[in-house]
Amino acid sequence: MHSSPDEYEVWPGSPAPLGAHWDGTGTDFALWSAGAHAVDLCLFDDDGTEHRLRLRENTHQVWHGRLPGVGPGQRYGYRVHGGWDPSSGLRHNPAKLLLDPYARAVDGDQALHPALFGFRYEGGEGPDPRDSAPYVPRGVVVHDSFPWDGDRSPTTPWSDTVIYEVHVKGATIRHPDVPPALRGTYAGLAHPAFIEHLQSLGVTAVELLPVHHFVSEPHLLRRGLSNYWGYNTLGYFAPHAAYSSSGTAGQQVTEFKAMVKSLHAAGIEVVLDVVYNHTAEGDHTGPTLSFKGIDNGGYYRLREGDPSRYQDYTGCGNTLDVRRPQVLALLMDSLRYWVTEMHVDGFRFDLAAALARSMHDVDRLSAFFDVIHQDPVVSRVKLIAEPWDVGPGGYQVGNFPPLWTEWNGQYRDTVRDVWSGARVGVRDLAYRLTGSSDLYRSDGRRPFASVNFVTAHDGFPLADLVTYERKLNEANGEENRDGESHNRNWNCGVEGPTDDPQVTALRARQVRNHLATLLLSTGVPMLTAGDELGRTQGGNNNAYCQDNEISWLDWADVDEDLRAFVARLVRLRRDSPVLRQEAFFEGHELPDTGGTRDLAWFAPGGAQLDTAGWFDTGLQTIGMYLDGRGIRHRDERGRPVQDDSYLVQLHAGAEPVTVHLPGAPWADGYEFVVSTEWTTVAPPRPTVVAPGPIEVPPRCVWLLRVLRRP
């Protein structure tokens, strides 16, 4: 590495591709900025010494240069000269070191200091003159010839997919079987001890909370906290450096790839939760770290009539302006990079409705979706939308176009309502149990467009959903004002932990009820890491800033019966195609069956549910009949798929109820497969019952296999 500015020679280089790219003899640097008057490339020695080099070439708004002899491991950043007029949206300030938006790796932490801010934070006019370089992270030139050795994506079909939403650090930071040096890292997630847990559960994909490099918001740093979840992205190409066990001078890239390769070898796909709707720079009072100082008006949606402020559809201070070609190119370049270079299998888009906004309205045909659909790389991986943002009209469940699946917020709300005792009836529940055809069928999508979930990282974990009715977020330092106050939950009659054995048993059954409902529903189930272990956050339902035992998985306190319950339900789902249909049910009579249907609904009295029953908001008991002879998809060779038939009996009432199990032609008998009254999913002994009256315990789910005489 060069040690003095006299040794550097800047050649013209090339304006494409953007970022820093080493070719074996030197590195090309290229940065887009439409509003810059001049750009300095800043190189840093290992001791922090800075060398500023003016990039004199500007081609189509791209500032570029080539440095012979500069190679992998080189730390760098930019200083951009230009106009300073916040009232016009101009925020150039060469005193601020800026991270390359295309940096492949990031080194160094952000430290809270007034120099982070482009303006005079203590008041006054004009740009702040203090040098931010000592307090901000730098980009790193990376060259990684990773030995993929035939790595292949599992490419699990959507209808076979079971998602496990997990935090890289929280998964293994307390895992006793993961070596201490690897805990909480990409290597920890790839360790056999954790992969074996995933395989034992039967999940087919991990959905990682954000791994794009992120920093903590200044307001958290002032309170001695940090951003744990990671929804505060600074670098869209760089794996988050703090999750690396091997170093941050490019080693994090290799370690991430090794993690993906290990998960693929275990048959597990890797889906990234990505935050392309806003950045870590916040609103007009936020720090200047990258985009804001490179081209503020080029990257962000500024408020009409007052470009000194940002249009905020995200609740995080700013919104990236995907209407602009350069921003759209950044997002697409990033997505393609993670698929082609990092081998990930899909993306979950945080606040995806914000990306769909052409002007103020959410536009299903916005440029972002058009580009995704025609892209030969990105269109072929799993695409999951969080179909809402915080702006007007931002709740868009069911309105994303084909190719997209969605986090089904209506599924979550309905299932929680049912098990919390809300008088909502069974009509909406029936839609949710069978793939939400009311939301996804009209535009040609399939049941797997619905990603079903009861809990996620945001909110109570499942154990807390049945333990607390009031959030306990005081540790976040916001006087318990943050987090959702209406959680559609029930504490089983006692607030918080209790030694009462009846309440404890009821809570455990309610957890099983939620999980059984989820895993017996048509669609794509998503489990939240730790729910299968009995994890609690002590009543905190917004643990985004709790990088501690509140959030981490506690492997010393595992509910083994619950883990076995989840694993057996997932196996049952995997082995039963009737439980993971690829086409919506028709409800039609099946030929040569004596009058059964592919899907039928039964009232407690044994008759098929009538119109009055559908609209009876007090009805808390329903039977869902699934005929395995009516499956409409075929196997890979075009042969009809057949399966056992099942009756799912769901009773959410507080008292036992007598139901009549339907007889011929529906069944000649039934065999218990699942009952949530049992602490494990397996019945204590084989149990066969005849059609006719039978008492269902309070708050219970049964899965009964249909028996037919030969």
Side-chain angles (χ1 to χ4, degrees):
M1 181 173 293
H2 297 289
S3 59
S4 72
D6 294 336
E7 295 183 53
Y8 289 107
E9 183 180 7
V10 183
W11 295 2
S14 171
L18 294 173
H21 296 273
W22 180 68
D23 63 5
T25 62
T27 301
D28 279 281
F29 294 87
L31 178 77
W32 174 83
S33 176
H37 299 163
V39 172
D40 292 332
L41 170 65
C42 306
L43 304 184
F44 292 87
D45 294 342
D46 292 340
D47 63 2
T49 301
E50 178 182 351
H51 308 286
R52 299 187 189 182
L53 308 166
R54 181 63 51 92
L55 296 181
R56 303 194 179 279
E57 301 295 326
N58 182 0
T59 305
H60 304 311
Q61 302 177 338
V62 175
W63 302 80
H64 54 94
R66 174 178 175 78
L67 273 69
V70 169
Q74 175 66 61
R75 278 79 164 174
Y76 73 101
Y78 291 102
R79 298 181 187 272
V80 177
H81 303 258
W84 173 266
D85 183 9
S87 65
S88 300
L90 299 176
R91 294 182 178 271
H92 298 295
N93 183 346
K96 309 307 168 186
L97 184 73
L98 307 174
L99 184 70
D100 179 5
Y102 279 76
R104 302 292 180 92
V106 176
D107 179 57
D109 296 324
Q110 172 187 277
L112 185 62
H113 189 275
L116 292 180
F117 303 92
F119 57 95
R120 294 182 185 273
Y121 197 79
E122 296 85 354
E125 299 293 331
D128 184 276
R130 286 169 286 200
D131 183 6
S132 69
Y135 313 105
V136 297
R138 294 98 189 259
V140 182
V141 177
V142 171
H143 178 73
D144 180 59
S145 55
F146 184 77
W148 285 108
D149 295 333
D151 171 77
R152 294 175 63 89
S153 169
T155 58
T156 306
W158 265 121
S159 56
D160 297 345
T161 296
V162 178
I163 297 172
Y164 188 79
E165 190 200 32
V166 65
H167 188 282
V168 170
K169 181 176 182 179
T172 63
I173 190 66
R174 304 175 74 185
H175 201 304
D177 297 328
V178 174
L182 303 183
R183 293 174 188 169
T185 69
Y186 303 120
L189 203 73
H191 190 272
F194 187 72
I195 288 181
E196 287 167 8
H197 173 68
L198 298 176
Q199 291 178 308
S200 72
L201 286 180
V203 299
T204 68
V206 289
E207 182 176 303
L208 305 181
L209 267 68
V211 297
H212 289 169
H213 190 85
F214 61 89
V215 295
S216 295
E217 298 89 333
H219 71 85
L220 290 178
L221 297 175
R222 294 186 189 104
R223 298 203 298 268
L225 299 170
S226 62
N227 190 310
Y228 171 68
W229 288 349
Y231 292 92
N232 206 46
T233 304
L234 184 59
Y236 290 109
F237 292 78
H240 187 59
Y243 297 158
S244 173
S245 68
S246 51
T248 60
Q251 297 94 331
Q252 62 265 55
V253 178
T254 304
E255 187 172 327
F256 184 92
K257 291 178 177 179
M259 175 196 71
V260 172
K261 184 178 178 181
S262 295
L263 288 164
H264 282 178
I268 297 169
E269 293 182 303
V270 179
V271 176
L272 303 187
D273 196 335
V274 291
V275 189
Y276 292 116
N277 55 77
H278 75 280
T279 78
E281 293 184 302
D283 64 10
H284 62 285
T285 66
T288 296
L289 304 171
S290 180
F291 311 92
K292 190 178 287 186
I294 293 170
D295 197 311
N296 185 55
Y299 279 111
Y300 294 119
R301 295 189 71 154
L302 306 182
R303 193 178 300 174
E304 292 182 17
D306 184 8
S308 69
R309 301 293 189 267
Y310 297 91
Q311 197 71 262
D312 184 10
Y313 293 119
T314 66
C316 300
N318 64 57
T319 305
L320 279 172
D321 195 347
V322 187
R323 301 169 302 177
R324 295 183 177 272
Q326 196 59 45
V327 180
L328 190 57
L330 171 76
L331 270 57
M332 295 306 300
D333 289 346
S334 170
L335 291 168
R336 281 189 292 266
Y337 172 76
W338 287 94
V339 174
T340 59
E341 297 293 326
M342 307 296 259
H343 285 208
V344 305
D345 306 286
F347 305 95
R348 179 264 188 189
F349 292 80
D350 178 65
L351 299 181
L355 299 173
R357 290 183 180 272
S358 291
M359 292 302 291
H360 297 294
D361 297 329
V362 176
D363 180 2
R364 289 180 59 184
L365 301 178
S366 70
F368 176 70
F369 295 117
D370 290 344
V371 171
I372 289 272
H373 279 225
Q374 62 80 40
D375 189 272
V377 173
V378 182
S379 65
R380 296 184 180 183
V381 301
K382 287 182 164 67
L383 301 172
I384 306 171
E386 182 185 36
W388 49 79
D389 64 20
V390 301
Y395 190 76
Q396 293 291 318
V397 171
N399 287 335
F400 278 68
L403 281 190
W404 289 79
T405 64
E406 301 177 18
W407 270 27
N408 190 343
Q410 290 194 34
Y411 182 95
R412 171 201 60 206
D413 295 347
T414 297
V415 172
R416 287 188 181 190
D417 278 342
V418 166
W419 290 116
S420 68
R423 296 284 174 155
V424 295
V426 297
R427 180 176 179 270
D428 194 39
L429 176 64
Y431 276 122
R432 305 306 147 234
L433 291 172
T434 55
S436 296
S437 60
D438 57 330
L439 299 176
Y440 303 114
R441 188 170 193 164
S442 63
D443 59 7
R445 286 190 284 175
R446 301 282 195 89
F448 46 75
S450 178
V451 175
N452 300 329
F453 68 105
V454 178
T455 64
H457 66 275
D458 188 1
F460 285 130
L462 196 47
D464 289 0
L465 196 71
V466 301
T467 302
Y468 300 91
E469 289 189 11
R470 297 184 299 274
K471 62 188 180 183
L472 298 174
N473 297 353
E474 286 81 3
N476 297 354
E478 300 178 41
E479 299 179 346
N480 209 30
R481 294 190 303 269
D482 63 306
E484 177 61 59
S485 296
H486 179 49
N487 294 282
R488 301 173 183 265
N489 61 327
W490 179 52
N491 61 13
C492 298
V494 177
E495 184 69 3
T498 180
D499 294 328
D500 186 322
Q502 290 186 320
V503 174
T504 301
L506 176 57
R507 287 174 175 172
R509 187 160 76 249
Q510 286 287 78
V511 166
R512 294 192 293 272
N513 286 335
H514 282 94
L515 289 167
T517 305
L518 175 66
L519 290 166
L520 296 177
S521 295
T522 302
V524 179
M526 184 184 79
L527 297 163
T528 301
D531 277 354
E532 80 283 8
L533 308 177
R535 183 178 78 92
T536 175
Q537 291 180 172
N540 191 318
N541 77 346
N542 189 35
Y544 78 103
C545 56
Q546 298 299 326
D547 188 2
N548 50 46
E549 288 82 358
I550 291 175
S551 298
W552 302 336
L553 300 191
D554 183 3
W555 294 95
D557 185 18
V558 172
D559 185 336
E560 292 293 353
D561 284 343
L562 182 59
R563 177 157 62 174
F565 179 92
V566 174
R568 190 165 185 269
L569 271 172
V570 173
R571 285 197 303 273
L572 176 67
R573 181 184 182 89
R574 181 190 63 208
D575 296 338
S576 306
V578 74
L579 298 177
R580 43 182 178 80
Q581 300 266 357
E582 295 182 16
F584 286 111
F585 295 97
E586 296 290 347
H588 295 160
E589 287 192 10
L590 301 175
D592 304 321
T593 65
T596 70
R597 302 174 183 272
D598 65 334
L599 171 69
W601 302 98
F602 288 92
Q608 291 189 59
L609 202 64
D610 58 17
T611 301
W614 279 119
F615 292 94
D616 179 359
T617 58
L619 185 60
Q620 294 182 289
T621 309
I622 193 171
M624 179 176 68
Y625 183 94
L626 306 173
D627 198 315
R629 299 168 296 182
I631 299 171
R632 292 191 294 118
H633 65 264
R634 298 175 179 270
D635 67 14
E636 65 276 3
R637 296 177 61 183
R639 297 169 298 191
V641 174
Q642 291 212 346
D643 191 13
D644 289 335
S645 300
Y646 291 97
L647 178 68
V648 178
Q649 192 69 55
L650 186 150
H651 174 50
E655 302 297 332
V657 64
T658 297
V659 304
H660 285 71
L661 303 180
W666 304 97
D668 297 311
Y670 297 90
E671 178 188 11
F672 273 99
V673 179
V674 173
S675 176
T676 57
E677 65 188 300
W678 301 317
T679 56
T680 59
V681 71
R685 59 187 178 277
T687 305
V688 174
V689 296
I694 187 171
E695 186 176 86
V696 181
R699 299 188 177 94
C700 189
V701 177
W702 283 354
L703 179 68
L704 304 168
R705 180 180 286 111
V706 168
L707 302 177
R708 294 190 176 94
R709 295 188 183 95

